[in-house]
C-alpha cells in the first residue's frame, strides 16, 4: 500500500509539474490565475442570491482549480511573482466571505448566524496558524507534525472547507447544521492548537540553565630547597 501511495504521489507531482510548465509556456501568470479565482469567488454572491445553486457550486470548484494552478505555476517560476504571493492570503478569505454573504442574503432568517459564526471562527483560526508559522521561522523551530495533525489540517484546511462550501451552495438548507458543526470543530482544534503551540514556543524560548560555578582552590606550593648550614 505504501508503494502504491508513493507511485501515485510521484505521478501526481509529475503531472502537476508538466501542466505548470505548459501554462508558463502559454505566458499565463500566477497572479492572473489568482485574479480569476477571486472573480469566481465573488460571482457566487449573486448566484446564491438568485438561487442558482448548481452554478454557485461549480464556481467554488472552479475557484479551487484556479487556486491550485496558481500555486503550481508560482512554484514552477520559483515563487518569483510577488503579486501572487500578495494575493494568496486573501483568496481563501474572499471565497468564504462571498459564499457566506450569498447564503445570508438568500435566507437571512435561517443562515445568517451559522454564516457569521463560521466567518469569525475561520478568520481567528487562520490568524493563529499564520502567526505560529511566522514565530517558528523567526526562532528557527522545525515543526514536526504527526499523522493526527496532518489529518486535522486536511479536515479544517482547504480540502474540508471546499467540500463544506460546495455542499452549502448546492444544499443551502443543510448549512444551518453543517455550518455550526464545522465552526464548533474549528473551535475545538483552535483551543488544542493554542495550548500545544504555547507549550512548544515556551520550551523553545526558555534560556538554557547556566552551569554552576566551580570553586577551584589554588595549588599549594611546596618548597624543596635545603636549608643552608
Amino acid at each position: 500500500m505504501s508503494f502504491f501511495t508513493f507511485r501515485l504521489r510521484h505521478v501526481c507531482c509529475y503531472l502537476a509539474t508538466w501542466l505548470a510548465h505548459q501554462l508558463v509556456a502559454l505566458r499565463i501568470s500566477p497572479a492572473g490565475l489568482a485574479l480569476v479565482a477571486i472573480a469566481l469567488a465573488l460571482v457566487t454572491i449573486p448566484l446564491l442570491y438568485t438561487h442558482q445553486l448548481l452554478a454557485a457550486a461549480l464556481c467554488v470548484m472552479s475557484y479551487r482549480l484556479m487556486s491550485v494552478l496558481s500555486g503550481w505555476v508560482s512554484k514552477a517560476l520559483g515563487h518569483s511573482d510577488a503579486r501572487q504571493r500578495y494575493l494568496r492570503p486573501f483568496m481563501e478569505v474572499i471565497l468564504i466571505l462571498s459564499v457566506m454573504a450569498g447564503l445570508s442574503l438568500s435566507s437571512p432568517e435561517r443562515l445568517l448566524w451559522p454564516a457569521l459564526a463560521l466567518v469569525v471562527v475561520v478568520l481567528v483560526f487562520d490568524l493563529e496558524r499564520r502567526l505560529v508559522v511566522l514565530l517558528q521561522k523567526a526562532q528557527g523551530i522545525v515543526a514536526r507534525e504527526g499523522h493526527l495533525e496532518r489529518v486535522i489540517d486536511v479536515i479544517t484546511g482547504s480540502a474540508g472547507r471546499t467540500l463544506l462550501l460546495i455542499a452549502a451552495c448546492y444544499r443551502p438548507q443543510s448549512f444551518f447544521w453543517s455550518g455550526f458543526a464545522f465552526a464548533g470543530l474549528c473551535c475545538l482544534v483552535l483551543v488544542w492548537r493554542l495550548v500545544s503551540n504555547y507549550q512548544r514556543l515556551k520550551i523553545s524560548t526558555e534560556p538554557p540553565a547556566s552551569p554552576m560555578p566551580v570553586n577551584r582552590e589554588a595549588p599549594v606550593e611546596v618548597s624543596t630547597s635545603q636549608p643552608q648550614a
Side-chain angles (χ1 to χ4, degrees):
M1 186 65 182
S2 59
F3 177 76
F4 175 76
T5 305
F6 173 77
R7 296 296 300 176
L8 182 61
R9 287 181 179 178
H10 180 73
V11 172
C12 292
C13 290
Y14 174 79
L15 291 176
T17 304
W18 177 82
L19 181 58
H21 283 86
Q22 295 301 316
L23 293 175
V24 171
L26 294 174
R27 299 183 180 276
I28 297 178
S29 66
L33 292 171
L35 290 175
V36 172
I38 292 175
L40 289 170
L42 294 174
V43 168
T44 59
I45 299 178
L47 290 177
L48 289 172
Y49 180 70
T50 57
H51 301 282
Q52 303 295 325
L53 305 181
L54 181 58
L58 291 176
C59 283
V60 174
M61 289 187 285
S62 301
Y63 162 87
R64 184 56 61 197
L65 177 61
M66 294 296 106
S67 176
V68 171
L69 291 177
S70 175
W72 288 353
V73 175
S74 178
K75 183 178 180 181
L77 295 175
H79 301 286
S80 59
D81 194 338
R83 295 175 300 175
Q84 189 268 350
R85 288 185 291 146
Y86 175 75
L87 294 173
R88 191 75 180 177
F90 300 102
M91 293 169 61
E92 194 84 13
V93 177
I94 292 174
L95 174 66
I96 295 176
L97 289 176
S98 300
V99 175
M100 295 303 104
L103 292 174
S104 300
L105 292 174
S106 64
S107 181
E109 67 281 355
R110 179 174 175 82
L111 302 180
L112 175 62
W113 291 112
L116 182 61
L118 184 64
V119 168
V120 172
V121 170
V122 168
L123 289 179
V124 177
F125 190 84
D126 288 347
L127 177 63
E128 190 273 341
R129 292 177 65 177
R130 296 184 185 279
L131 183 59
V132 168
V133 171
L134 291 176
L135 289 175
Q136 288 177 348
K137 286 183 178 180
Q139 298 180 3
I141 303 174
V142 179
R144 294 183 177 88
E145 293 185 349
H147 181 71
L148 178 61
E149 287 81 2
R150 288 194 294 268
V151 172
I152 291 176
D153 287 341
V154 171
I155 295 175
T156 59
S158 298
R161 295 174 187 181
T162 301
L163 294 177
L164 175 70
L165 294 178
I166 291 174
C169 291
Y170 191 67
R171 295 181 61 87
Q173 62 272 17
S174 63
F175 179 72
F176 180 82
W177 301 109
S178 61
F180 279 128
F182 193 83
L185 176 62
C186 289
C187 280
L188 293 177
V189 176
L190 177 61
V191 172
W192 172 68
R193 285 179 59 89
L194 286 172
V195 174
S196 60
N197 289 326
Y198 179 80
Q199 293 294 331
R200 186 183 306 171
L201 293 172
K202 179 182 178 182
I203 293 173
S204 63
T205 55
E206 286 181 351
S210 58
M212 295 296 294
V214 178
N215 294 327
R216 296 182 179 179
E217 297 181 356
V220 179
E221 296 182 357
V222 178
S223 177
T224 57
S225 61
Q226 295 294 331
Q228 296 179 0

